[in-house]
């Protein structure tokens, strides 16, 4: 019984390592090239943004491996293929002129920087509920991408994803990097017409779904106002409730 379990565990481990290895490299450009070859990066806009944002400035351990990594405070930087996927789904709304973008659970800061680099006229807000992670994101961005902070094109600050950012213009793109039990209503309200929210939804320990919500109109009827699409099964840390 124990031997069987051991063999199965070793097999699973070897598959995981093999999958990660497919998109592993020892440089940022090598990682991007691998993601492109594996058809995960599909557009020049996403490719350029990821080439210009060296993941080595955002994570200490194995930055060029296609796997999530710990960044402290019980948080992880998502795997590069998930970042590439989110950027691809949101590309059309990130690249509208003067786009307003919100990255919730900014964590390492990496994704918010990629978003800013996809559109020179965009303004990106990155928020996180953990002050230590806001500090980390700012520290990481300062290494090579300080111009984004200095110009005000990227703002990183403390904030709660269940609330979003009130009193601003509506957002063209909202990305949430942590799993919510249900769709946070304020985020739906803060979407511009034509704008998209990408958010993992589901309980911890259960299969979560990455969901895309597109705002179609201001109609009071949810089904007329929003188009909801289930994208794929995922596993994210929880979008915590600040009681
Ligand atoms: N997207 C980031 C980090 C993902 S980890 C990256 O790839 O680097 C999930 C992040 O969500 C953590 O930084 C965590 O602190 C943050 N988070 C969890 N609940 C939150 C909430 N209610 N509001 C804002 N951020 C939250």
């Amino acid at each position: 019984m124990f031997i069987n379990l051991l063999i199965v565990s070793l097999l699973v481990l070897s598959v995981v390592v093999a999958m990660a290895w497919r998109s592993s490299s020892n440089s940022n450009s090598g990682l991007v090239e691998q993601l492109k070859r594996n058809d995960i990066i599909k557009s020049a806009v996403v490719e350029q943004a990821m080439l210009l944002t060296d993941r080595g400035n955002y994570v200490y351990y194995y930055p060029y491996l296609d796997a999530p990594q710990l960044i402290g405070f019980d948080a992880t930087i998502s795997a590069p293929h998930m970042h590439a996927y989110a950027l691809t789904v949101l590309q059309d709304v990130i690249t509208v002129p003067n786009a307003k973008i919100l990255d919730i659970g900014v964590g390492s800061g990496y994704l918010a920087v990629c978003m800013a680099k996809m559109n020179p006229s965009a303004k990106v807000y990155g928020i996180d509920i953990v002050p230590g992670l806001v500090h980390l994101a700012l520290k990481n961005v300062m290494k090579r991408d300080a111009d984004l902070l200095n110009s005000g094109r990227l703002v990183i600050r403390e904030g709660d994803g269940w609330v979003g950012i009130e009193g601003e213009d509506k957002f063209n793109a909202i990305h949430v990097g942590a799993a919510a039990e249900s769709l946070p209503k304020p985020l739906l309200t803060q979407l511009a017409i034509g704008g998209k929210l990408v958010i993992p939804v589901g309980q911890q320990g259960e299969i979560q779904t990455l969901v895309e919500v597109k705002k179609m109109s201001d109609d009071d009827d949810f089904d007329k106002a929003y188009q909801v699409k289930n994208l794929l099964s995922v596993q994210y840390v929880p979008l915590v409730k600040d009681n």
Side-chain angles (χ1 to χ4, degrees), residues 85-241:
Y85 185 80
L87 294 174
T88 303
V89 172
L90 288 169
Q91 178 174 331
D92 61 336
V93 281
I94 287 176
T95 52
V96 301
N98 304 311
K100 287 205 56 188
I101 302 167
L102 175 57
D103 182 31
I104 292 171
V106 70
S108 65
Y110 174 84
L111 191 70
V113 167
C114 285
M115 288 167 151
K117 289 186 178 173
M118 283 171 70
N119 178 357
S121 72
K123 174 143 187 172
V124 181
Y125 293 82
I127 62 170
D128 205 288
I129 203 160
V130 177
L133 286 168
V134 171
H135 182 73
L136 176 76
L138 287 169
K139 200 173 97 184
N140 289 342
V141 179
M142 286 305 285
K143 290 181 200 163
R144 284 279 181 278
D145 300 305
D147 55 312
L148 291 175
L149 295 171
N150 296 336
S151 65
R153 281 229 299 123
L154 174 61
V155 174
I156 294 180
R157 63 180 191 220
E158 214 178 311
D160 183 356
W162 288 99
V163 178
I165 298 185
E166 279 156 356
E168 291 281 343
D169 290 343
K170 308 264 173 176
F171 292 100
N172 303 93
I174 302 180
H175 171 266
V176 185
E181 293 157 12
S182 57
L183 290 176
K185 284 223 177 66
L187 301 187
L188 298 175
T189 318
Q190 287 163 27
L191 269 183
I193 292 178
K196 280 188 197 168
L197 162 68
V198 169
I199 180 169
V201 180
Q203 306 285 340
Q204 283 305 296
E206 290 178 13
I207 292 176
Q208 303 157 356
T209 307
L210 192 68
V211 176
E212 176 195 302
V213 184
K214 185 167 183 186
K215 179 151 182 176
M216 309 306 289
S217 73
D218 278 324
D219 205 292
D220 289 336
D221 179 346
F222 180 92
D223 293 334
K224 285 189 186 142
Y226 300 97
Q227 207 174 66
V228 181
K229 199 155 83 177
N230 289 345
L231 299 174
L232 55 139
S233 297
V234 289
Q235 203 176 8
Y236 279 75
V237 299
L239 187 70
V240 297
K241 280 212 157 118

Side-chain angles (χ1 to χ4, degrees), residues 55-71:
R55 204 166 176 269
N57 293 323
Y58 295 86
V59 56
Y60 292 118
Y61 305 110
Y62 307 109
Y64 308 125
L65 184 72
D66 188 15
Q69 303 291 345
L70 296 172
I71 54 171

